[in-house]
Amino acid sequence: MSARTKARKRALDMLFQADVMNTSVMDVVADEAKRAVGEPDRVASWLYAREIVDGVNDHREEIDELIASYAQGWTIERMPNVDRAILRIASWEMLHNPEVPAPVAINEAVALAKEYSTDDSGRFVNGVLGKIAEHAAS
């Protein structure tokens, strides 16, 4: 598993935790930063996970508006917490990280959805992110 794949999982954990516990993302990041000090072999994944979470936090309004507009029949609040976090991560990568091609962001997000969410989540995440990728390319 690549460092970026591990970082996406770590970012998912942080965003999910903040969402479920209804706490600040920055508080969760601070707790994870303390843990990361004791894990020098995971520095690469920690740095990118932090970049993702900071980026999602900084651009949350824009990202959520796009997700809501392309998730037909689903409000942000009604989505499963895991799906919401996955969509935010991949949306940030497609919109704000030119190093990550849209197909890579989508494939990684679909893999996370299939592993950590419902049976239908992979297809749902793929559909929403495909539309966001089209939007980002225009």
Side-chain angles (χ1 to χ4, degrees), residues 4 46-56 92 96-97 99:
R4 285 207 167 176
W46 162 248
L47 293 175
Y48 189 57
R50 173 76 189 255
E51 184 179 349
I52 292 169
V53 172
D54 287 345
V56 167
W92 174 80
H96 298 285
N97 187 349
E99 295 176 11

Side-chain angles (χ1 to χ4, degrees), residues 11-24:
L12 172 61
D13 290 344
M14 287 188 278
L15 292 171
F16 178 81
Q17 181 180 348
D19 203 13
V20 169
M21 296 179 68
N22 198 26
T23 189
S24 160

Side-chain angles (χ1 to χ4, degrees), residues 2-138:
S2 76
R4 285 207 167 176
T5 298
K6 290 176 186 174
R8 288 180 185 97
K9 167 64 174 93
R10 203 166 187 172
L12 172 61
D13 290 344
M14 287 188 278
L15 292 171
F16 178 81
Q17 181 180 348
D19 203 13
V20 169
M21 296 179 68
N22 198 26
T23 189
S24 160
V25 172
M26 292 300 99
D27 289 344
V28 173
V29 168
D31 289 344
E32 282 296 310
K34 290 175 192 169
R35 236 178 263 130
V37 171
E39 301 174 340
D41 56 326
R42 295 173 66 185
V43 169
S45 69
W46 162 248
L47 293 175
Y48 189 57
R50 173 76 189 255
E51 184 179 349
I52 292 169
V53 172
D54 287 345
V56 167
N57 196 48
D58 291 346
H59 300 281
R60 189 178 202 132
E61 188 174 314
E62 169 200 12
I63 289 168
D64 283 358
E65 282 180 23
L66 279 172
I67 292 169
S69 69
Y70 293 119
Q72 297 173 337
W74 287 87
T75 63
I76 291 285
E77 298 78 24
R78 198 171 144 236
M79 289 176 196
N81 298 39
V82 173
D83 293 0
R84 184 172 43 240
I86 291 168
L87 288 167
R88 286 173 174 160
I89 290 166
S91 295
W92 174 80
E93 285 188 310
M94 290 189 294
L95 298 167
H96 298 285
N97 187 349
E99 295 176 11
V100 178
V104 171
I106 294 170
N107 287 341
E108 291 280 334
V110 169
L112 284 170
K114 286 180 177 179
E115 185 170 352
Y116 296 106
S117 196
T118 69
D119 291 341
D120 295 327
S121 290
R123 191 171 55 249
F124 172 71
V125 164
N126 188 56
V128 173
L129 293 177
K131 292 174 184 171
I132 292 173
E134 289 173 10
H135 168 84
S138 62

